[in-house]
Amino acid sequence: MAATKTADFTTEQLRLAEIFKALAHPARIAIMEYLMRKGTCVCGDIVLELPLAQSTVSQHLKVLKEVGLVVGEVDGVYSCYCANQAYCCAVMEQVDVFMKTLTKGGCCSG
């Protein structure tokens, strides 16, 4: 089997890759930083914070929502978004384990 087939990888590897891919854009990192800094749901404020069009911000939010980093709801013409803090903490733990695995016996070990 070719190494590129998703069946050849663990669920954890696939999920971590999805999260890294979702965060692999500076606008999405800025959105996550803003949402975490605010600590509350925001509506149109994200567009005011970034030098991007509303439609572009919406597309970035969609990517972040798809992987679970952001939650949001639409109420008529308004959309409110929050960082999914519990999930972000779980992701942080998973990334920490991953990074520790990489450094065992490698160049970064004591």
Side-chain angles (χ1 to χ4, degrees):
M1 268 190 206
T4 58
K5 294 188 185 252
T6 57
D8 294 338
F9 301 100
T10 68
T11 303
E12 292 81 17
Q13 289 167 333
L14 294 170
R15 187 69 182 151
L16 202 53
E18 286 178 352
I19 291 163
F20 285 151
K21 183 177 178 181
L23 290 171
H25 193 286
R28 292 190 281 255
I29 291 171
I31 289 169
M32 288 304 302
E33 288 174 339
Y34 179 74
L35 291 175
M36 294 300 280
R37 187 170 63 248
K38 284 295 186 182
T40 183
C41 294
V42 295
C43 294
D45 300 349
I46 300 169
V47 175
L48 300 175
E49 184 77 9
L50 300 174
L52 301 171
Q54 208 280 283
S55 59
T56 304
V57 171
S58 292
Q59 286 301 311
H60 287 302
L61 283 164
K62 178 182 174 196
V63 171
L64 293 168
K65 279 181 67 175
E66 286 174 351
V67 297
L69 294 171
V70 168
V71 293
E73 61 182 57
V74 177
D75 184 18
V77 295
Y78 299 101
S79 299
C80 293
Y81 297 95
C82 304
N84 185 346
Q85 293 195 11
Y87 185 67
C88 288
C89 288
V91 167
M92 186 174 68
E93 289 175 11
Q94 187 179 8
V95 170
D96 186 50
V97 169
F98 171 68
M99 295 305 291
K100 286 177 181 173
T101 300
L102 289 180
T103 59
K104 283 185 182 175
C107 64
C108 299
S109 62

